[in-house]
Amino acid sequence: MISNNLKTINENIEKACEKSGRKKEDVKLIAVSKTKPVDMINEAYELGIRDFGENKVKELLTKKEQLPDDICWHMIGHLQTNKVRSVIKAVKLIHSVDSLRLADTIDIEARKAGITVDGLLEVNVAGEESKFGFSPSEIAELLDRFSLYRFLRIKGLMTVAPFVHNPEDNREIFNKLRNLSVDIMNKKLDNISMNFLSMGMTGDYSIAVEEGANFIRIGTGLFGAR
Ligand SMILES: *Cc1c(COP(=O)(O)O)cnc(C)c1O
């Protein structure tokens, strides 16, 4: 089942790349394995997937212990500041840097641990009450502060788009996130690069790829319903 799903996803990525003149190698699939058992992650691993996303620290750490070392783990969910210390060494990228307090804490804890940590700023593009993340204007105000960090390195932007029935409805959201990342890149700030655009989930990843995503985060579409 996972292998069929993966085939479909890869075909859709390819189509979206053709449509938008992009290279499929520039789009990386993150398999969102939250709530799914280690067996299923192993199955995906056997199919060649090496990037997995989790939204809870404890679950991520427990799974990491039981799985091969060459897996890159991505923290994609809201991260409480008191859990930062335990997760920063375990992950390749934190997609969900969603508040100034969290960003400050990651920088401090990374310094204490003697490492640098890569993070993406989560943007609540649609301004939904229920969602975490910075508004685009907050980001503009905070950039100078982010550029002072020495241990948290901002590498791009992430968004969780609204739940919609027609994925076309999210095109504007993805386009806005991309434009914001280009604006930030053009400022050429120290310590802030915009290499990564993490957007698109099971329902809307084709549109996200057309609009420039280079990380797509797919759970249900790969592993089945949660
Ligand atoms: C669960 C989750 C996903 C994957 O959602 P699906 O609709 O199952 O593909 C992607 N991003 C985040 C932040 C999530 O929490």
Side-chain angles (χ1 to χ4, degrees):
M1 183 190 85
I2 296 179
S3 84
N4 281 335
N5 291 343
L6 181 60
K7 198 161 156 268
T8 305
I9 292 165
N10 282 330
E11 285 166 4
N12 287 336
I13 293 173
E14 213 163 313
K15 273 185 222 153
C17 283
E18 266 169 35
K19 218 170 145 183
S20 53
R22 302 189 58 206
K23 288 190 276 205
K24 67 177 190 298
E25 295 76 24
D26 293 342
V27 180
K28 179 150 234 144
L29 167 67
I30 297 175
V32 177
S33 48
K34 62 189 187 196
T35 78
K36 296 297 178 185
V38 165
D39 287 355
M40 285 182 98
I41 302 178
N42 261 320
E43 200 179 328
Y45 181 91
E46 294 298 327
L47 294 166
I49 296 178
R50 291 294 178 272
D51 290 80
F52 291 87
E54 291 283 340
N55 66 344
K56 296 210 166 78
V57 171
K58 200 169 160 211
E59 187 174 343
L60 187 154
L61 296 176
T62 309
K63 286 174 173 171
K64 184 184 166 79
E65 243 173 47
Q66 301 171 66
L67 285 152
D69 279 340
D70 63 340
I71 287 180
C72 295
W73 293 96
H74 297 258
M75 179 64 194
I76 63 169
H78 178 59
L79 178 56
Q80 288 168 276
T81 52
N82 62 358
K83 304 217 170 120
V84 167
R85 187 179 313 179
S86 59
V87 82
I88 48 175
K89 281 188 176 161
V91 293
K92 176 172 180 205
L93 183 64
I94 299 173
H95 291 235
S96 43
V97 180
D98 58 11
S99 72
L100 180 59
R101 197 164 87 94
L102 176 61
D104 282 349
T105 305
I106 296 171
D107 189 56
I108 290 166
E109 291 298 335
R111 174 174 59 76
K112 287 190 201 158
I115 58 172
T116 56
V117 173
D118 290 346
L120 307 182
L121 299 171
E122 180 170 350
V123 189
N124 184 355
V125 182
E128 292 175 281
E129 283 289 333
S130 59
K131 294 236 166 89
F132 291 104
F134 299 97
S135 69
S137 62
E138 275 175 321
I139 292 210
E141 284 162 21
L142 291 170
L143 281 174
D144 287 333
R145 168 122 179 208
F146 295 145
S147 80
L148 296 177
Y149 291 146
R150 290 173 53 214
F151 301 92
L152 167 60
R153 297 184 300 197
I154 304 295
K155 296 280 181 177
L157 305 178
M158 176 272 219
T159 197
V160 179
F163 178 79
V164 290
H165 291 285
N166 178 1
E168 276 293 340
D169 294 347
N170 278 337
R171 187 180 291 279
E172 193 189 342
I173 301 282
F174 297 141
N175 187 261
K176 278 188 179 159
L177 192 73
R178 185 188 148 82
N179 286 336
L180 181 62
S181 87
V182 172
D183 289 347
I184 295 172
M185 195 167 58
N186 287 338
K187 292 184 200 286
K188 299 196 182 351
L189 295 165
D190 285 346
N191 191 40
I192 297 181
S193 64
M194 286 287 128
N195 299 337
F196 300 120
L197 208 47
S198 172
M199 59 187 195
M201 308 177 14
T202 295
D204 54 20
Y205 65 91
S206 290
I207 306 291
V209 169
E210 287 175 29
E211 295 299 324
N214 52 21
F215 274 131
I216 53 174
R217 310 177 308 267
I218 301 186
T220 318
L222 185 67
F223 294 112
R226 284 183 295 275

